[in-house]
Amino acid sequence: MTFDATLTRINEGVQLHHQHGRREAARDLFAQVWHEIGEERGDPLHVCVLAHAMADVQDDTRQELLWDQRALTAADQLTDARVAAAGVPLSVAGLYPSLHLNLADCHHRLGDLDRAREHLRLAEAGIGALGDDDYGKLIRDGLDRLTRQLGPE
Protein backbone atom coordinates (compact mmCIF):
# COMPACT_ATOMS: atom_id res chain seq x y z
CA MET A 1 0.00 0.00 0.00
CA THR A 2 1.24 3.47 -0.84
CA PHE A 3 0.24 6.83 0.57
CA ASP A 4 -2.32 8.48 -1.69
CA ALA A 5 -2.44 12.24 -1.19
CA THR A 6 -5.53 12.60 -3.38
CA LEU A 7 -7.56 10.13 -1.33
CA THR A 8 -6.37 11.91 1.81
CA ARG A 9 -7.64 15.25 0.47
CA ILE A 10 -10.96 13.69 -0.52
CA ASN A 11 -11.26 12.29 3.00
CA GLU A 12 -10.59 15.78 4.38
CA GLY A 13 -13.58 17.01 2.37
CA VAL A 14 -15.72 14.15 3.63
CA GLN A 15 -14.76 15.09 7.20
CA LEU A 16 -15.56 18.76 6.52
CA HIS A 17 -19.03 17.70 5.45
CA HIS A 18 -19.90 14.89 7.84
CA GLN A 19 -17.97 15.84 10.98
CA HIS A 20 -18.03 19.62 10.80
CA GLY A 21 -21.19 20.37 8.80
CA ARG A 22 -19.25 22.48 6.31
CA ARG A 23 -20.97 21.30 3.15
CA GLU A 24 -19.96 24.25 0.95
CA ALA A 25 -16.31 24.07 2.06
CA ALA A 26 -16.31 20.36 1.22
CA ARG A 27 -17.87 21.06 -2.18
CA ASP A 28 -15.21 23.71 -2.88
CA LEU A 29 -12.40 21.34 -1.91
CA PHE A 30 -13.90 18.56 -4.04
CA ALA A 31 -14.20 20.91 -7.03
CA GLN A 32 -10.53 21.87 -6.68
CA VAL A 33 -9.43 18.22 -6.46
CA TRP A 34 -11.71 17.33 -9.39
CA HIS A 35 -9.91 19.87 -11.55
CA GLU A 36 -6.48 18.71 -10.35
CA ILE A 37 -7.09 15.03 -11.12
CA GLY A 38 -8.17 15.79 -14.69
CA GLU A 39 -11.88 15.40 -14.03
CA GLU A 40 -13.37 12.25 -15.61
CA ARG A 41 -10.05 11.52 -17.34
CA GLY A 42 -8.30 11.02 -14.00
CA ASP A 43 -7.36 7.87 -12.15
CA PRO A 44 -10.62 5.85 -11.97
CA LEU A 45 -10.20 5.31 -8.22
CA HIS A 46 -9.87 9.03 -7.59
CA VAL A 47 -12.76 9.80 -9.94
CA CYS A 48 -14.98 7.18 -8.29
CA VAL A 49 -14.28 8.19 -4.69
CA LEU A 50 -14.41 11.90 -5.42
CA ALA A 51 -17.60 11.76 -7.48
CA HIS A 52 -19.23 9.58 -4.80
CA ALA A 53 -18.34 12.18 -2.16
CA MET A 54 -19.22 15.15 -4.39
CA ALA A 55 -22.72 13.74 -4.93
CA ASP A 56 -23.36 13.99 -1.19
CA VAL A 57 -22.74 17.75 -1.10
CA GLN A 58 -25.01 18.73 -3.98
CA ASP A 59 -28.09 20.88 -3.35
CA ASP A 60 -29.85 19.75 -6.52
CA THR A 61 -30.89 16.10 -6.91
CA ARG A 62 -30.18 16.16 -10.66
CA GLN A 63 -26.60 17.27 -9.97
CA GLU A 64 -26.31 14.61 -7.28
CA LEU A 65 -27.47 12.02 -9.83
CA LEU A 66 -24.86 13.22 -12.33
CA TRP A 67 -22.07 12.81 -9.78
CA ASP A 68 -23.36 9.39 -8.74
CA GLN A 69 -23.38 8.32 -12.39
CA ARG A 70 -19.78 9.50 -12.74
CA ALA A 71 -18.80 7.43 -9.71
CA LEU A 72 -20.45 4.32 -11.16
CA THR A 73 -18.79 4.80 -14.55
CA ALA A 74 -15.39 5.13 -12.88
CA ALA A 75 -16.01 2.04 -10.73
CA ASP A 76 -16.48 0.05 -13.92
CA GLN A 77 -12.85 0.88 -14.79
CA LEU A 78 -11.36 -0.16 -11.45
CA THR A 79 -9.42 -3.26 -10.56
CA ASP A 80 -9.11 -4.95 -7.19
CA ALA A 81 -5.34 -4.51 -7.44
CA ARG A 82 -5.69 -0.71 -7.76
CA VAL A 83 -8.16 -0.53 -4.88
CA ALA A 84 -5.97 -2.69 -2.64
CA ALA A 85 -2.83 -0.71 -3.51
CA ALA A 86 -4.56 2.43 -2.27
CA GLY A 87 -5.46 0.74 1.03
CA VAL A 88 -9.21 0.77 0.40
CA PRO A 89 -10.60 -2.04 2.58
CA LEU A 90 -13.16 -3.19 -0.02
CA SER A 91 -13.00 -5.05 -3.29
CA VAL A 92 -14.35 -3.33 -6.37
CA ALA A 93 -17.49 -5.47 -6.00
CA GLY A 94 -17.94 -4.00 -2.51
CA LEU A 95 -18.26 -0.51 -3.96
CA TYR A 96 -21.30 -1.26 -6.11
CA PRO A 97 -24.03 -1.69 -3.47
CA SER A 98 -23.43 1.84 -2.16
CA LEU A 99 -23.14 3.32 -5.66
CA HIS A 100 -26.38 1.69 -6.78
CA LEU A 101 -28.14 2.60 -3.53
CA ASN A 102 -27.28 6.27 -4.09
CA LEU A 103 -28.50 6.12 -7.69
CA ALA A 104 -31.71 4.41 -6.59
CA ASP A 105 -32.28 7.12 -3.98
CA CYS A 106 -31.77 9.91 -6.53
CA HIS A 107 -34.14 8.32 -9.02
CA HIS A 108 -36.69 7.84 -6.23
CA ARG A 109 -36.51 11.52 -5.24
CA LEU A 110 -36.83 12.50 -8.92
CA GLY A 111 -39.95 10.36 -9.28
CA ASP A 112 -38.44 7.75 -11.62
CA LEU A 113 -39.52 4.72 -9.63
CA ASP A 114 -38.66 2.17 -12.34
CA ARG A 115 -35.03 3.32 -12.45
CA ALA A 116 -34.98 3.50 -8.66
CA ARG A 117 -36.10 -0.12 -8.42
CA GLU A 118 -33.60 -1.15 -11.11
CA HIS A 119 -30.68 0.29 -9.14
CA LEU A 120 -32.09 -1.08 -5.90
CA ARG A 121 -32.08 -4.58 -7.43
CA LEU A 122 -28.48 -4.09 -8.58
CA ALA A 123 -27.48 -2.95 -5.10
CA GLU A 124 -29.16 -5.94 -3.50
CA ALA A 125 -27.52 -8.31 -5.99
CA GLY A 126 -24.09 -7.11 -4.87
CA ILE A 127 -24.73 -7.00 -1.14
CA GLY A 128 -22.83 -10.27 -0.62
CA ALA A 129 -19.58 -8.43 -1.36
CA LEU A 130 -19.98 -6.44 1.86
CA GLY A 131 -18.68 -7.58 5.20
CA ASP A 132 -20.61 -7.99 8.41
CA ASP A 133 -19.33 -4.68 9.75
CA ASP A 134 -20.60 -1.14 10.33
CA TYR A 135 -20.25 -0.21 6.66
CA GLY A 136 -22.12 -3.30 5.51
CA LYS A 137 -24.86 -2.59 8.08
CA LEU A 138 -25.12 1.02 6.91
CA ILE A 139 -25.66 -0.05 3.30
CA ARG A 140 -28.07 -2.86 4.23
CA ASP A 141 -30.09 -0.45 6.39
CA GLY A 142 -30.19 2.03 3.51
CA LEU A 143 -31.43 -0.67 1.14
CA ASP A 144 -34.12 -1.72 3.62
CA ARG A 145 -35.24 1.90 4.10
CA LEU A 146 -35.45 2.59 0.37
CA THR A 147 -37.22 -0.71 -0.28
CA ARG A 148 -39.91 0.30 2.24
CA GLN A 149 -40.20 3.78 0.73
CA LEU A 150 -40.62 2.43 -2.80
CA GLY A 151 -43.23 -0.09 -1.72
CA PRO A 152 -44.54 -2.83 -3.99
CA GLU A 153 -44.20 -2.53 -7.75
Side-chain angles (χ1 to χ4, degrees):
M1 179 177 79
T2 60
F3 174 75
D4 191 312
T6 300
L7 291 180
T8 299
R9 289 185 63 214
I10 295 167
N11 186 55
E12 290 169 5
V14 170
Q15 297 304 313
L16 279 171
H17 175 221
H18 291 290
Q19 302 297 324
H20 303 288
R22 298 183 57 207
R23 184 181 180 120
E24 288 182 30
R27 188 170 41 229
D28 291 345
L29 176 58
F30 293 151
Q32 180 181 4
V33 174
W34 181 249
H35 177 71
E36 290 170 7
I37 66 170
E39 301 173 355
E40 288 154 302
R41 296 174 313 280
D43 176 333
L45 179 61
H46 295 156
V47 172
C48 180
V49 174
L50 181 56
H52 194 47
M54 181 65 112
D56 289 344
V57 296
Q58 298 304 303
D59 295 326
D60 178 79
T61 304
R62 290 187 196 312
Q63 285 299 309
E64 182 179 348
L65 178 63
L66 176 66
W67 284 104
D68 283 331
Q69 289 167 331
R70 287 176 174 147
L72 181 63
T73 298
D76 290 341
Q77 300 170 35
L78 284 173
T79 65
D80 284 333
R82 173 63 181 110
V83 171
V88 176
L90 289 172
S91 66
V92 173
L95 301 174
Y96 284 100
S98 177
L99 296 170
H100 284 294
L101 173 59
N102 287 1
L103 285 160
D105 183 55
C106 284
H107 284 298
H108 174 243
R109 286 184 282 133
L110 291 169
D112 189 345
L113 302 186
D114 290 338
R115 294 292 307 271
R117 286 187 178 97
E118 174 187 338
H119 282 286
L120 189 61
R121 281 190 291 274
L122 290 167
E124 290 169 344
I127 203 74
L130 296 179
D132 188 22
D133 55 13
D134 289 343
Y135 178 74
K137 181 177 178 357
L138 176 74
I139 301 305
R140 286 180 183 89
D141 289 350
L143 290 171
D144 290 344
R145 175 192 49 78
L146 189 55
T147 298
R148 285 191 308 275
Q149 289 175 351
L150 285 169
E153 289 188 52

